[in-house]
Amino acid sequence: GGGYGRLIPTYTKKGRNIVIVDYAPNLLEMAAKTYAGRDDVHLIAANAYHLPFKESVFSVGISIRTFHHMNAPEKFLGELSRVMRPQSHALVEYSNKRNLMRVLKKWSKSIQVDHEEYGDLLYGTHPRYFSEIAGRVGLEVVWNSGTGFLPRFLTDKTLSLKPLFTVTETLLDILYGPLGLAPMNFSDLKKTRVWSAKDMPPGATLLDILACPICKQGLTDHEPHMACSSCGKQFEKKGKIIDFRHVEK
């Protein structure tokens, strides 16, 4: 869910390579214009359930405002775990169905340990369910931090109260965020598996880490596309964007 790269300024660092993955090419095209001169920013159009990367290649991962659209959350976390290096961390934000307001309104439904569908491709997840499916794919929840109690109440009519809202939100975050009662949960996930011979060493290039999303084998660069060295599937290159979305076998 990297989109148009709005968080890139937050985690840009000298010597760090940034790979933005999103399914929406129009958002990636915006990022391509903004970061056209940046060799450290790579743009990948891909399906989150079929990430076009080899095993154990990333030292950190970030997924924000994405998980609540996943109808196969364990499959997504499994792919995330597969491409992360052992002992590395990934920050994943999800919509917490057991938030304080929802507990007061829908007690029984809010405490059910599941991934509940609110609407079309819109889900809320119970914190214990999130921890369980993460654990099954080799990801350990190190800590949780919650927020988002008051943004829904901040409108044009209440904008003058923003300083009060900010102070109150901070207090609610401190009191109820660690308890898993906030609408938005941020989880630090650590990949617990040890290093293996397949793990990618630091300093790899983009071509080193890319893999066919269908058969997971290596790719070769053939302008204006990339091709799988095993199954022969081709993936189009559009400037800075490489399109791996189409994964039909």
Side-chain angles (χ1 to χ4, degrees):
Y4 58 89
R6 65 186 177 88
L7 294 178
I8 286 180
T10 304
Y11 45 73
T12 291
K13 185 178 180 181
K14 187 176 180 180
R16 178 180 292 169
N17 282 303
I18 300 166
V19 180
I20 300 296
V21 182
D22 202 286
Y23 194 79
N26 59 318
L27 296 180
L28 292 173
E29 286 167 4
M30 294 170 63
K33 292 179 181 179
T34 304
Y35 302 101
R38 293 277 298 272
D39 293 334
D40 59 334
V41 176
H42 309 283
L43 307 176
I44 302 294
N47 184 316
Y49 304 132
H50 303 277
L51 293 176
F53 306 109
K54 298 175 182 177
E55 292 184 14
S56 307
V57 296
F58 290 103
S59 57
V60 68
I62 300 176
S63 176
I64 296 176
R65 303 301 294 162
T66 303
F67 195 85
H68 60 274
H69 295 308
M70 298 292 173
N71 62 1
E74 186 170 345
K75 188 174 183 179
F76 167 62
L77 289 181
E79 273 293 86
L80 180 64
S81 177
R82 183 182 66 80
V83 302
M84 298 299 297
R85 291 174 181 160
Q87 309 304 310
S88 65
H89 291 254
L91 181 69
V92 177
E93 179 270 334
Y94 64 93
S95 178
N96 177 21
K97 62 171 288 183
R98 194 192 63 184
N99 67 75
L100 189 60
M101 291 294 290
R102 201 162 185 274
V103 168
L104 296 175
K105 290 181 178 180
K106 299 183 178 182
W107 167 253
S108 59
K109 292 194 72 174
S110 67
I111 62 174
Q112 290 178 3
V113 183
D114 60 11
H115 187 65
E116 181 184 341
E117 186 171 14
Y118 294 158
D120 187 26
L121 285 181
L122 186 62
Y123 300 85
T125 309
H126 192 285
R128 196 200 315 170
Y129 182 82
F130 182 85
S131 296
E132 288 175 356
I133 62 175
R136 288 201 290 266
V137 298
L139 296 172
E140 174 191 355
V141 177
V142 180
W143 55 256
N144 285 301
S145 182
T147 189
F149 291 95
L150 300 179
R152 73 185 70 181
F153 302 110
L154 188 61
T155 65
D156 291 339
K157 294 181 179 180
T158 60
L159 199 57
S160 61
L161 299 175
K162 186 175 180 180
L164 177 61
F165 274 46
T166 302
V167 173
T168 306
E169 176 69 45
T170 301
L171 291 174
L172 289 171
D173 291 352
I174 294 172
L175 291 173
Y176 298 108
L179 300 178
L181 294 173
M184 297 170 62
N185 249 14
F186 291 80
S187 286
D188 175 17
L189 300 176
K190 180 181 178 181
K191 184 172 179 179
T192 54
R193 186 173 63 80
V194 298
W195 284 86
S196 75
K198 290 184 177 180
D199 296 328
M200 186 69 62
T205 66
L206 180 67
L207 190 58
D208 289 332
I209 71 170
L210 287 174
C212 174
I214 299 173
C215 65
K216 305 307 181 196
Q217 298 304 306
L219 300 174
T220 53
D221 194 351
H222 301 278
E223 291 288 350
H225 65 267
M226 285 193 168
C228 177
S229 57
S230 178
C231 70
K233 178 72 174 179
Q234 295 185 357
F235 305 96
E236 187 178 3
K237 296 174 68 177
K238 304 173 183 176
K240 284 182 71 71
I241 304 169
I242 309 175
D243 193 344
F244 290 97
R245 292 173 299 157
H246 307 295
V247 294
E248 295 84 359
K249 293 185 179 181

